[in-house]
Amino acid sequence: GAGVSQSPSNKVTEKGKDVELRCDPISGHTALYWYRQSLGQGLEFLIYFQGNSAPDKSGLPSDRFSAERTGGSVSTLTIQRTQQEDSAVYLCASSLLRGHEQYFGPGTRLTVT
Amino acid sequence: GDSVTQMEGPVTLSEEAFLTINCTYTATGYPSLFWYVQYPGEGLQLLLKATKADDKGSNKGFEATYRKETTSFHLEKGSVQVSDSAVYFCALSDQGGSEKLVFGKGTKLTVNP
C-alpha cells in the first residue's frame, strides 16, 4: 500500500515569506508526527497529532510555526515569516496508534534564501 | 528531558568487518528503544527495536540489546556489506504521552569493498 507522502519534495523561499508543507499519512493511521532534520540540531520533534487534535506541541520552535490536521488525515505545517535558520528537512511520520511503529515520509527540503 | 547519545562518525569499514555503533540514553521511565537507518537518497526506516530490558532486537543481521543497567542499546553486525552504507540513528520513545521519538545525532557508516 501507499506509504507516507509529503509535498513539495523541495521548497526554496525568500526570507520573510510564508510556506506550507503537506503530509499525507498512511490511511487509517491515527497518530501523526512532524520532525525536523537539520545539520546543526539533528532530528528534532515538532508536534504530535492524535486524530485532529495536537496534545503535544512542545517541539515547535516559535510562534511562527503552526500545524493542523483535518479529517484525521492530511496535515499541514505552516511556517510564517521564514528565517534562514528554518532551512532543514521537514519529516512527517504516522503510526496506527500512539506507541506503534512510526513510518516516515521522504521529507520536504526547505531552503530559505 | 530524555536524550540519546551515540558515537560520533563517520565510521569507515571494509566489507565483512565487524560493526559496533554505541548508543546510550537518559530517560525517566522505561522507554522503547529503536535503531533507524537512512540509506542515501531515501527516507528513515525502522531497522530494529526493543521494548523492555534485556530484549534483543534484530533485523538484516543487525542486533541490539536493551541494557537497563548500563542504559545502552549498542548496534552490532558481524559482517557488514557495501549495501549497509547509510546513516544510523538511535532513538527512544518518550513516555510522556505522545511517544514522540528522541533521536541521537546519527552515525554515518561507509563500507568499502
Side-chain angles (χ1 to χ4, degrees):
Chain A
V4 178
S5 61
Q6 294 185 244
S7 60
S9 55
N10 278 286
K11 177 73 177 177
V12 180
T13 190
E14 292 181 351
K15 178 181 170 182
K17 295 286 176 81
D18 298 352
V19 295
E20 284 189 353
L21 312 180
R22 177 186 168 108
C23 171
D24 283 87
I26 294 172
S27 178
H29 279 196
T30 64
L32 187 148
Y33 302 79
W34 283 97
Y35 297 88
R36 178 167 74 172
Q37 185 174 21
S38 58
L39 277 176
Q41 301 299 320
L43 268 159
E44 306 171 282
F45 164 79
L46 296 177
I47 187 169
Y48 156 67
F49 286 93
Q50 181 58 46
N52 291 336
S53 59
D56 189 350
K57 306 178 183 180
S58 61
L60 294 178
S62 76
D63 59 8
R64 296 187 296 105
F65 287 71
S66 62
E68 65 174 11
R69 189 179 184 195
T70 54
S73 180
V74 172
S75 177
T76 303
L77 177 70
T78 301
I79 309 173
Q80 296 180 308
R81 305 181 302 282
T82 51
Q83 305 294 313
Q84 288 190 330
E85 61 262 28
D86 300 334
S87 296
V89 177
Y90 289 81
L91 296 170
C92 176
S94 71
S95 64
L96 184 62
L97 296 169
R98 178 179 64 89
H100 285 221
E101 177 180 347
Q102 294 184 29
Y103 294 84
F104 282 80
T108 294
R109 180 176 296 278
L110 175 66
T111 303
V112 182
T113 61
Chain B
D2 295 354
S3 65
V4 174
T5 303
Q6 64 182 101
M7 65 186 285
E8 299 270 334
V11 174
T12 303
L13 295 173
S14 298
E15 207 164 22
E16 299 183 5
F18 184 85
L19 169 71
T20 301
I21 300 178
N22 290 336
C23 172
T24 57
Y25 67 91
T26 302
T28 53
Y30 303 97
S32 294
L33 301 174
F34 307 85
W35 279 99
Y36 278 82
V37 59
Q38 191 170 35
Y39 296 104
E42 297 186 18
L44 271 173
Q45 302 174 26
L46 178 65
L47 180 60
L48 54 83
K49 69 178 182 181
T51 58
K52 61 184 187 296
D54 300 324
D55 267 3
K56 178 186 283 188
S58 60
N59 186 24
K60 300 182 180 181
F62 290 89
E63 293 183 340
T65 301
Y66 190 141
R67 301 285 189 202
K68 183 168 171 287
E69 62 277 12
T70 54
T71 60
S72 65
F73 193 55
H74 305 320
L75 182 68
E76 296 183 336
K77 186 174 186 184
S79 176
V80 294
Q81 305 300 311
V82 172
S83 57
D84 294 327
S85 298
V87 181
Y88 292 81
F89 294 91
C90 186
L92 62 80
S93 64
D94 177 83
Q95 299 295 290
S98 66
E99 305 229 11
K100 61 181 180 278
L101 295 172
V102 176
F103 288 91
K105 296 286 190 187
T107 302
K108 183 175 181 180
L109 170 66
T110 301
V111 181
N112 294 318

